[in-house]
Amino acid sequence: MYHKLLSILLQHSPEDNLINSWRNKRLKSELRGILMDPPEGIRARPLDNSLSYWQASIKGPPNCPYEGGLFFLHLEIPKSYPMRPPIPRFITKIFHPNISYHGDIGVDMLGQNWSLALTIPKVLVSIQSLLTDPNCHICMESDIAQLYENDREQFDRVAREWTIKYAQLHMSC
């Protein structure tokens, strides 16, 4: 199935003739890599031929409250990618200090620390790592960050409840 998707998406398209052909070549290369050798617990694929909108999933890492969950994300890839970072947003609700209730993600690599060396797979791996190691200095939800820092047991309980409620429904996918 992945090979069929890969061959369809990697075909030459009219968009390749536009100014953003470098962007498209790079995205096709990243897609090839993520389909052929995906990072552990991470899947991603474009939703359109212009490679501007992607869907991704991240499995909750072991030994954390998100373990066993499957979290879906939507990524918007700007026309100026890779000069500007992708814009990922959690679709699956998640209780985390670096992820807003609306799904926005607060991580410095998507802002001032963006680099041309970063790729969509690297962004997704970093987001997955954030699940086991939140950064409360770049929090999106200060009340969740305070709970994480002041009552870790309660934080873990609520995060686990949200994982069971919102992310376990997709386990059979």
Side-chain angles (χ1 to χ4, degrees), residues 84-103:
R84 291 190 48 206
I87 304 163
R89 174 176 279 159
F90 271 82
I91 298 169
T92 307
K93 288 187 175 192
I94 184 169
F95 189 81
H96 192 281
N98 298 108
I99 303 163
S100 78
Y101 291 119
H102 302 288

PDB file of all heavy atoms in Angstrom, residues 84-103:
ATOM      1  N   ARG A  84      10.860  27.876   6.099  1.00  0.00           N
ATOM      2  CA  ARG A  84       9.983  28.041   7.266  1.00  0.00           C
ATOM      3  C   ARG A  84       9.523  26.663   7.704  1.00  0.00           C
ATOM      4  O   ARG A  84       9.347  25.773   6.880  1.00  0.00           O
ATOM      5  CB  ARG A  84       8.788  28.920   6.910  1.00  0.00           C
ATOM      6  CG  ARG A  84       9.228  30.363   6.665  1.00  0.00           C
ATOM      7  CD  ARG A  84       8.070  31.319   6.543  1.00  0.00           C
ATOM      8  NE  ARG A  84       7.110  31.128   7.610  1.00  0.00           N
ATOM      9  CZ  ARG A  84       5.818  31.432   7.496  1.00  0.00           C
ATOM     10  NH1 ARG A  84       5.340  31.949   6.388  1.00  0.00           N
ATOM     11  NH2 ARG A  84       4.994  31.226   8.499  1.00  0.00           N
ATOM     12  N   PRO A  85       9.294  26.474   8.991  1.00  0.00           N
ATOM     13  CA  PRO A  85       8.940  25.144   9.502  1.00  0.00           C
ATOM     14  C   PRO A  85       7.505  24.747   9.156  1.00  0.00           C
ATOM     15  O   PRO A  85       6.657  25.601   8.889  1.00  0.00           O
ATOM     16  CB  PRO A  85       9.092  25.301  11.021  1.00  0.00           C
ATOM     17  CG  PRO A  85       8.830  26.741  11.276  1.00  0.00           C
ATOM     18  CD  PRO A  85       9.395  27.470  10.070  1.00  0.00           C
ATOM     19  N   PRO A  86       7.246  23.443   9.196  1.00  0.00           N
ATOM     20  CA  PRO A  86       5.866  22.994   9.073  1.00  0.00           C
ATOM     21  C   PRO A  86       5.085  23.436  10.310  1.00  0.00           C
ATOM     22  O   PRO A  86       5.680  23.769  11.348  1.00  0.00           O
ATOM     23  CB  PRO A  86       5.984  21.470   9.008  1.00  0.00           C
ATOM     24  CG  PRO A  86       7.279  21.160   9.671  1.00  0.00           C
ATOM     25  CD  PRO A  86       8.171  22.345   9.423  1.00  0.00           C
ATOM     26  N   ILE A  87       3.776  23.446  10.187  1.00  0.00           N
ATOM     27  CA  ILE A  87       2.915  23.827  11.312  1.00  0.00           C
ATOM     28  C   ILE A  87       2.118  22.590  11.724  1.00  0.00           C
ATOM     29  O   ILE A  87       1.094  22.276  11.123  1.00  0.00           O
ATOM     30  CB  ILE A  87       1.983  24.989  10.925  1.00  0.00           C
ATOM     31  CG1 ILE A  87       2.790  26.169  10.412  1.00  0.00           C
ATOM     32  CG2 ILE A  87       1.095  25.379  12.108  1.00  0.00           C
ATOM     33  CD1 ILE A  87       1.978  27.195   9.639  1.00  0.00           C
ATOM     34  N   PRO A  88       2.604  21.868  12.741  1.00  0.00           N
ATOM     35  CA  PRO A  88       1.874  20.690  13.200  1.00  0.00           C
ATOM     36  C   PRO A  88       0.835  21.071  14.250  1.00  0.00           C
ATOM     37  O   PRO A  88       1.005  22.032  15.006  1.00  0.00           O
ATOM     38  CB  PRO A  88       2.978  19.825  13.816  1.00  0.00           C
ATOM     39  CG  PRO A  88       4.002  20.798  14.278  1.00  0.00           C
ATOM     40  CD  PRO A  88       3.908  21.999  13.374  1.00  0.00           C
ATOM     41  N   ARG A  89      -0.242  20.310  14.272  1.00  0.00           N
ATOM     42  CA  ARG A  89      -1.301  20.522  15.270  1.00  0.00           C
ATOM     43  C   ARG A  89      -1.882  19.151  15.622  1.00  0.00           C
ATOM     44  O   ARG A  89      -2.191  18.363  14.737  1.00  0.00           O
ATOM     45  CB  ARG A  89      -2.379  21.434  14.718  1.00  0.00           C
ATOM     46  CG  ARG A  89      -3.564  21.570  15.666  1.00  0.00           C
ATOM     47  CD  ARG A  89      -4.565  22.550  15.161  1.00  0.00           C
ATOM     48  NE  ARG A  89      -4.052  23.866  15.512  1.00  0.00           N
ATOM     49  CZ  ARG A  89      -4.431  24.971  14.911  1.00  0.00           C
ATOM     50  NH1 ARG A  89      -5.291  24.946  13.934  1.00  0.00           N
ATOM     51  NH2 ARG A  89      -3.948  26.126  15.302  1.00  0.00           N
ATOM     52  N   PHE A  90      -2.016  18.887  16.912  1.00  0.00           N
ATOM     53  CA  PHE A  90      -2.631  17.641  17.354  1.00  0.00           C
ATOM     54  C   PHE A  90      -4.122  17.692  17.028  1.00  0.00           C
ATOM     55  O   PHE A  90      -4.803  18.678  17.323  1.00  0.00           O
ATOM     56  CB  PHE A  90      -2.451  17.447  18.868  1.00  0.00           C
ATOM     57  CG  PHE A  90      -1.191  16.731  19.235  1.00  0.00           C
ATOM     58  CD1 PHE A  90       0.013  17.414  19.303  1.00  0.00           C
ATOM     59  CD2 PHE A  90      -1.202  15.368  19.517  1.00  0.00           C
ATOM     60  CE1 PHE A  90       1.186  16.756  19.637  1.00  0.00           C
ATOM     61  CE2 PHE A  90      -0.033  14.712  19.852  1.00  0.00           C
ATOM     62  CZ  PHE A  90       1.164  15.410  19.914  1.00  0.00           C
ATOM     63  N   ILE A  91      -4.605  16.627  16.425  1.00  0.00           N
ATOM     64  CA  ILE A  91      -6.033  16.458  16.204  1.00  0.00           C
ATOM     65  C   ILE A  91      -6.627  15.715  17.402  1.00  0.00           C
ATOM     66  O   ILE A  91      -7.711  16.037  17.862  1.00  0.00           O
ATOM     67  CB  ILE A  91      -6.300  15.665  14.901  1.00  0.00           C
ATOM     68  CG1 ILE A  91      -5.762  16.435  13.702  1.00  0.00           C
ATOM     69  CG2 ILE A  91      -7.780  15.367  14.733  1.00  0.00           C
ATOM     70  CD1 ILE A  91      -5.747  15.629  12.422  1.00  0.00           C
ATOM     71  N   THR A  92      -5.891  14.733  17.882  1.00  0.00           N
ATOM     72  CA  THR A  92      -6.302  13.977  19.063  1.00  0.00           C
ATOM     73  C   THR A  92      -6.079  14.843  20.293  1.00  0.00           C
ATOM     74  O   THR A  92      -5.006  15.428  20.463  1.00  0.00           O
ATOM     75  CB  THR A  92      -5.472  12.677  19.190  1.00  0.00           C
ATOM     76  OG1 THR A  92      -5.551  11.954  17.963  1.00  0.00           O
ATOM     77  CG2 THR A  92      -5.959  11.822  20.337  1.00  0.00           C
ATOM     78  N   LYS A  93      -7.081  14.905  21.159  1.00  0.00           N
ATOM     79  CA  LYS A  93      -6.922  15.663  22.406  1.00  0.00           C
ATOM     80  C   LYS A  93      -5.849  15.007  23.258  1.00  0.00           C
ATOM     81  O   LYS A  93      -5.771  13.784  23.348  1.00  0.00           O
ATOM     82  CB  LYS A  93      -8.237  15.708  23.178  1.00  0.00           C
ATOM     83  CG  LYS A  93      -9.265  16.592  22.559  1.00  0.00           C
ATOM     84  CD  LYS A  93     -10.461  16.724  23.473  1.00  0.00           C
ATOM     85  CE  LYS A  93     -11.441  17.721  22.897  1.00  0.00           C
ATOM     86  NZ  LYS A  93     -12.463  18.073  23.871  1.00  0.00           N
ATOM     87  N   ILE A  94      -5.039  15.863  23.884  1.00  0.00           N
ATOM     88  CA  ILE A  94      -3.940  15.372  24.714  1.00  0.00           C
ATOM     89  C   ILE A  94      -3.711  16.357  25.848  1.00  0.00           C
ATOM     90  O   ILE A  94      -3.802  17.573  25.662  1.00  0.00           O
ATOM     91  CB  ILE A  94      -2.659  15.153  23.861  1.00  0.00           C
ATOM     92  CG1 ILE A  94      -1.528  14.552  24.699  1.00  0.00           C
ATOM     93  CG2 ILE A  94      -2.240  16.429  23.171  1.00  0.00           C
ATOM     94  CD1 ILE A  94      -0.343  14.061  23.871  1.00  0.00           C
ATOM     95  N   PHE A  95      -3.441  15.836  27.023  1.00  0.00           N
ATOM     96  CA  PHE A  95      -3.184  16.642  28.215  1.00  0.00           C
ATOM     97  C   PHE A  95      -1.675  16.762  28.371  1.00  0.00           C
ATOM     98  O   PHE A  95      -1.004  15.821  28.804  1.00  0.00           O
ATOM     99  CB  PHE A  95      -3.808  15.952  29.437  1.00  0.00           C
ATOM    100  CG  PHE A  95      -3.792  16.768  30.687  1.00  0.00           C
ATOM    101  CD1 PHE A  95      -4.747  17.749  30.908  1.00  0.00           C
ATOM    102  CD2 PHE A  95      -2.829  16.544  31.665  1.00  0.00           C
ATOM    103  CE1 PHE A  95      -4.749  18.489  32.080  1.00  0.00           C
ATOM    104  CE2 PHE A  95      -2.820  17.282  32.833  1.00  0.00           C
ATOM    105  CZ  PHE A  95      -3.784  18.263  33.049  1.00  0.00           C
ATOM    106  N   HIS A  96      -1.128  17.916  27.979  1.00  0.00           N
ATOM    107  CA  HIS A  96       0.326  18.089  27.959  1.00  0.00           C
ATOM    108  C   HIS A  96       0.649  19.577  28.065  1.00  0.00           C
ATOM    109  O   HIS A  96      -0.018  20.401  27.442  1.00  0.00           O
ATOM    110  CB  HIS A  96       0.888  17.535  26.652  1.00  0.00           C
ATOM    111  CG  HIS A  96       2.366  17.385  26.633  1.00  0.00           C
ATOM    112  ND1 HIS A  96       3.213  18.458  26.428  1.00  0.00           N
ATOM    113  CD2 HIS A  96       3.142  16.291  26.791  1.00  0.00           C
ATOM    114  CE1 HIS A  96       4.461  18.026  26.467  1.00  0.00           C
ATOM    115  NE2 HIS A  96       4.447  16.717  26.687  1.00  0.00           N
ATOM    116  N   PRO A  97       1.689  19.945  28.839  1.00  0.00           N
ATOM    117  CA  PRO A  97       2.001  21.378  29.008  1.00  0.00           C
ATOM    118  C   PRO A  97       2.441  22.090  27.733  1.00  0.00           C
ATOM    119  O   PRO A  97       2.256  23.292  27.596  1.00  0.00           O
ATOM    120  CB  PRO A  97       3.125  21.396  30.046  1.00  0.00           C
ATOM    121  CG  PRO A  97       3.567  19.999  30.242  1.00  0.00           C
ATOM    122  CD  PRO A  97       2.540  19.096  29.662  1.00  0.00           C
ATOM    123  N   ASN A  98       3.003  21.359  26.765  1.00  0.00           N
ATOM    124  CA  ASN A  98       3.494  21.985  25.538  1.00  0.00           C
ATOM    125  C   ASN A  98       2.496  21.922  24.388  1.00  0.00           C
ATOM    126  O   ASN A  98       2.807  22.339  23.281  1.00  0.00           O
ATOM    127  CB  ASN A  98       4.804  21.338  25.086  1.00  0.00           C
ATOM    128  CG  ASN A  98       5.891  21.515  26.116  1.00  0.00           C
ATOM    129  OD1 ASN A  98       6.258  20.544  26.766  1.00  0.00           O
ATOM    130  ND2 ASN A  98       6.378  22.717  26.284  1.00  0.00           N
ATOM    131  N   ILE A  99       1.300  21.422  24.677  1.00  0.00           N
ATOM    132  CA  ILE A  99       0.272  21.288  23.638  1.00  0.00           C
ATOM    133  C   ILE A  99      -0.999  21.952  24.144  1.00  0.00           C
ATOM    134  O   ILE A  99      -1.528  21.582  25.191  1.00  0.00           O
ATOM    135  CB  ILE A  99       0.040  19.805  23.290  1.00  0.00           C
ATOM    136  CG1 ILE A  99       1.371  19.166  22.857  1.00  0.00           C
ATOM    137  CG2 ILE A  99      -1.026  19.669  22.213  1.00  0.00           C
ATOM    138  CD1 ILE A  99       1.386  17.674  22.878  1.00  0.00           C
ATOM    139  N   SER A 100      -1.479  22.938  23.388  1.00  0.00           N
ATOM    140  CA  SER A 100      -2.664  23.674  23.819  1.00  0.00           C
ATOM    141  C   SER A 100      -3.906  22.801  23.699  1.00  0.00           C
ATOM    142  O   SER A 100      -3.906  21.774  23.013  1.00  0.00           O
ATOM    143  CB  SER A 100      -2.848  24.948  22.985  1.00  0.00           C
ATOM    144  OG  SER A 100      -3.402  24.654  21.722  1.00  0.00           O
ATOM    145  N   TYR A 101      -4.969  23.250  24.346  1.00  0.00           N
ATOM    146  CA  TYR A 101      -6.236  22.538  24.260  1.00  0.00           C
ATOM    147  C   TYR A 101      -6.750  22.505  22.822  1.00  0.00           C
ATOM    148  O   TYR A 101      -7.577  21.680  22.473  1.00  0.00           O
ATOM    149  CB  TYR A 101      -7.270  23.179  25.173  1.00  0.00           C
ATOM    150  CG  TYR A 101      -6.953  22.986  26.646  1.00  0.00           C
ATOM    151  CD1 TYR A 101      -6.734  24.069  27.481  1.00  0.00           C
ATOM    152  CD2 TYR A 101      -6.879  21.709  27.208  1.00  0.00           C
ATOM    153  CE1 TYR A 101      -6.451  23.898  28.826  1.00  0.00           C
ATOM    154  CE2 TYR A 101      -6.586  21.527  28.550  1.00  0.00           C
ATOM    155  CZ  TYR A 101      -6.381  22.621  29.358  1.00  0.00           C
ATOM    156  OH  TYR A 101      -6.098  22.436  30.685  1.00  0.00           O
ATOM    157  N   HIS A 102      -6.241  23.382  21.967  1.00  0.00           N
ATOM    158  CA  HIS A 102      -6.623  23.427  20.554  1.00  0.00           C
ATOM    159  C   HIS A 102      -5.686  22.597  19.681  1.00  0.00           C
ATOM    160  O   HIS A 102      -5.885  22.518  18.469  1.00  0.00           O
ATOM    161  CB  HIS A 102      -6.644  24.868  20.045  1.00  0.00           C
ATOM    162  CG  HIS A 102      -7.564  25.737  20.821  1.00  0.00           C
ATOM    163  ND1 HIS A 102      -8.934  25.642  20.738  1.00  0.00           N
ATOM    164  CD2 HIS A 102      -7.319  26.709  21.720  1.00  0.00           C
ATOM    165  CE1 HIS A 102      -9.495  26.517  21.546  1.00  0.00           C
ATOM    166  NE2 HIS A 102      -8.544  27.181  22.157  1.00  0.00           N
ATOM    167  N   GLY A 103      -4.611  22.042  20.272  1.00  0.00           N
ATOM    168  CA  GLY A 103      -3.697  21.181  19.531  1.00  0.00           C
ATOM    169  C   GLY A 103      -2.413  21.845  19.073  1.00  0.00           C
ATOM    170  O   GLY A 103      -1.543  21.191  18.498  1.00  0.00           O
TER     171      GLY A 103
END
